[in-house]
Amino acid sequence: MATRTAGGNAAFHNFHNDYAHIADPNERRRLALAEIDKAPFGWYHVRAVVVAGIGFFTDAYDIFAINLVTAMLGVVYWQGNKGVIPSNNDTAIKVATSGGTVIGQIGFGYLADVVGRKRMYGLELIIMIVATLAQALSAKSPAINITGVIIFWRVIMGIGVGGDYPLSSIITSEFATTKWRGAMMGSVFAMQGFGQFAAAIIALIVTSGFKGSLETAAKPANCTGDCGVAVDKMWRVIVGFGAVPGCIALYYRLTIPETPRYTFDVARDVEKAGEDVRAYKAGQSEGKPDEISRAQAFQSSGQIEIPKASWADFTRHYGQWKHGKVLLGTAGSWFFLDVAFYGLGLNNSVILTAIGYSGGANVYESFYNTAVGNLIIVCAGAIPGYWVTVATTDTIGRKPIQLGGFAILTVLFCIIGFGYHKISSHGLLGLYVLCQFFFNFGPNATTFIVPGECFPTRYRSTSHGLSAGAGKVGAIIAQVVFGPLRGRGAPAGSNASPWLNHVMEIFALFMFCGIFTTLLIPETKRKTLEELAGEVPGTANYDPASAGHGIAAPTKTGSSDGEVDPDIEKRAGV
């Protein structure tokens, strides 16, 4: 039995004292987690979403901004090539981020399960901030060209971006109320849309700010002198601004409490976990348990039934098809999605031409039209799709949204591919917007949400990192393989894309494959994380081995007579 502690009032209830008389650590764990699962939606939930969401805002800004910046790099550093960056250099700079992201997703995912979510959260943001500022200050030298310098820092930045995926997902998931967990996680991911919007806005602002200098050159090849200096300042401001939101969120990330689920199941510190629940709801950085009670609780921590993390347990767990298929489903779905999601960007030049925002009479108009055109593209399909998912994911469910999204995208890509040369440019614009909408009201959002819910706490971050890493491998394939493939059969030196229609047909096949991997994942709507992990007896997912119950389900134990205080159960909502 734990010692009761002082403190608590009408505003900040002392949850620790609710369970202080319960001797069984498993029962205390269950009741404390129920406090989180059943908690009414409040400002502490909004705070968690904002802190995690700013990271995704920064991620999207940094990734999307480079699409606007590479044209400026061509003006500044490739005047010998008529002010146009070579396609190989352009691809290498863009793919570098994805390469670093894979490393960050898997590496940070694993470390968050080993050393804790709190210890890793904020580190990935520091990496992004440093690498972003380093890019903005980069320049070529006799020993190294600008491409090499930027690639180096974008790989480092990508590691930070990658680390944000599993950490923000699982931290939001493990602190969320069960009823609105999908909306909370979807809101974090939806900040990507605003990040893309912000990148285009900043590009538009700096372009307008240097209008006088940019109008002096009709073409990139003529943009020298004041025009060249202006463009050099522009790309540095656009890239460097990506560090600003990260600096704002850094303090809050470094001071969040450890998630109680990690403290219970991995660290096995029962007292600290209970206090962290209270700290989270009170907006404090961490719980402060009574050290004597904590020492006493550690003596009984070996009684916690959840298995300890180990390679043997990892292989045993995922070696079972019922668990392994879920990891295959989340990783496979994310892989198939990202191939087409990043590949759809190959149509951007066609879409910008269709809406009248391609090229211009001078360098100013060219950059201005590119920024405005991308604003329109982001607002037309991407942002609405994200927020429709937020509004419906806890009612429709994750699996139906993902399944329907893959099915609709299969049809849309078939129409684009097989009718490419017969559809007008405005028709392609409409199909492009529909694709963007159903990507985000579909698998692009749900492939982020589901891996943060359906795995046991001890492997949740690693599994999310593996799933996200598979997705970024798909993104690399889209950029490295399908990007050049679209130009198959084109004359040397031409920007024509005679094979683009066939590439879209291939993407339709990837979307079709996504339907089958989606069938492997469970529906996670309105289910607790413990139920999804197979730890709750009497539920469809129950797995005695995963719950540490052997072959027999455990009996309830609690206070001295072996029963749970009914008043405590009532307060916990279980």
Side-chain angles (χ1 to χ4, degrees), residues 195-274:
Q196 294 171 1
F197 182 84
I201 283 287
I202 297 299
L204 182 61
I205 291 172
V206 297
T207 299
S208 299
F210 289 101
K211 180 179 179 180
S213 299
L214 298 177
E215 285 181 329
T216 62
K219 297 179 180 179
N222 307 126
C223 188
T224 56
D226 288 344
C227 178
V229 172
V231 176
D232 195 30
K233 292 177 180 178
M234 287 166 57
W235 79 262
R236 295 179 190 279
V237 171
I238 294 171
V239 171
F241 186 81
V244 174
C247 292
I248 296 171
L250 183 58
Y251 168 78
Y252 297 98
R253 288 200 173 193
L254 293 174
T255 56
I256 66 161
E258 181 58 87
T259 70
R261 284 182 164 90
Y262 180 87
T263 311
F264 272 124
D265 294 355
V266 183
R268 296 179 178 254
D269 190 340
V270 177
E271 288 289 318
K272 185 68 164 59

Side-chain angles (χ1 to χ4, degrees), residues 502-566:
H502 298 306
V503 170
M504 296 298 115
E505 293 163 9
I506 295 172
F507 290 159
L509 176 61
F510 277 90
M511 294 297 92
F512 185 68
C513 291
I515 294 174
F516 295 98
T517 53
T518 300
L519 297 175
L520 299 176
I521 67 173
E523 176 52 65
T524 59
K525 178 186 69 173
R526 303 284 167 87
K527 295 179 180 178
T528 68
L529 298 182
E530 285 64 46
E531 179 182 346
L532 291 166
E535 299 169 9
V536 181
T539 61
N541 297 329
Y542 177 55
D543 176 19
S546 295
H549 297 161
I551 58 173
T555 58
K556 286 186 176 180
T557 58
S559 49
S560 57
D561 60 359
E563 296 295 323
V564 183
D565 186 337

Side-chain angles (χ1 to χ4, degrees), residues 108-144:
F108 273 80
Y110 171 74
L111 289 172
D113 278 338
V114 174
V115 302
R117 285 71 157 126
K118 177 179 173 63
R119 290 185 180 179
M120 299 305 297
Y121 208 39
L123 178 59
E124 82 295 340
L125 209 53
I126 293 173
I127 292 173
M128 281 194 283
I129 292 169
V130 171
T132 297
L133 293 176
Q135 286 177 74
L137 299 174
S138 296
K140 68 177 181 179
S141 73
I144 189 169

